[in-house]
Structure formats: structure tokens, C-alpha cells
Amino acid sequence: MMIPVRCFTCGKVVSEHYEEFQARAQAGDEDPQKVLDDLGVNRHCCRRMMVSHADLVDVVSPYQ
Ligand SMILES: [Zn+2]
């Protein structure tokens, strides 16, 4: 599904950084750790939201 707007644990808004994180991390010339540092996603609870998210919205949406 879509990434949750806020971190489940601390409540920080994380969805605003997701597209940029995906674009920069998928490009391959930047380390995902450095991208998260650069975006200001510092807590490990917020970082796991970005790193572990599986974007299934395009797969699931035809079946609603
Ligand atoms: Zn958090």
C-alpha cells in the first residue's frame, strides 16, 4: 500500500520524504544511509518506515 504519513512509533511525518528517498536510493549512485541522513530522517524508527516499505498500491488498487 502507500507509505503511512507518519512514523508508527514517534509520529514524525515521513511520507513527505518517500518519493525523493526512492528516487535517490534506486538510482544506485547514493548510499540509502546517506540519503536518509541528508533528508533529516535520523531516528531508527523513522528510517525503518522508509527502508522496509513495500509499495503495493499499484498491485492492489484494481481489486477494490
Ligand atoms: Zn519515528
Side-chain angles (χ1 to χ4, degrees):
M1 300 307 289
M2 294 190 299
I3 188 162
V5 174
R6 292 180 178 268
C7 174
F8 290 143
T9 304
C10 72
K12 178 186 166 78
V13 176
V14 292
S15 63
E16 63 185 357
H17 302 301
Y18 185 68
E19 284 187 11
E20 185 176 349
F21 170 73
Q22 279 294 94
R24 291 171 64 180
Q26 294 289 319
D29 44 286
E30 280 186 281
D31 187 9
Q33 178 186 357
K34 299 248 169 34
V35 176
L36 288 171
D37 289 341
D38 189 42
L39 292 173
V41 181
N42 297 317
R43 297 186 197 103
H44 62 266
C45 58
C46 304
R47 293 168 87 101
R48 63 94 203 259
M49 301 290 290
M50 308 279 273
V51 172
S52 64
H53 178 68
D55 213 1
L56 297 177
V57 68
D58 293 332
V59 175
V60 176
S61 61
Y63 302 103
Q64 291 182 358

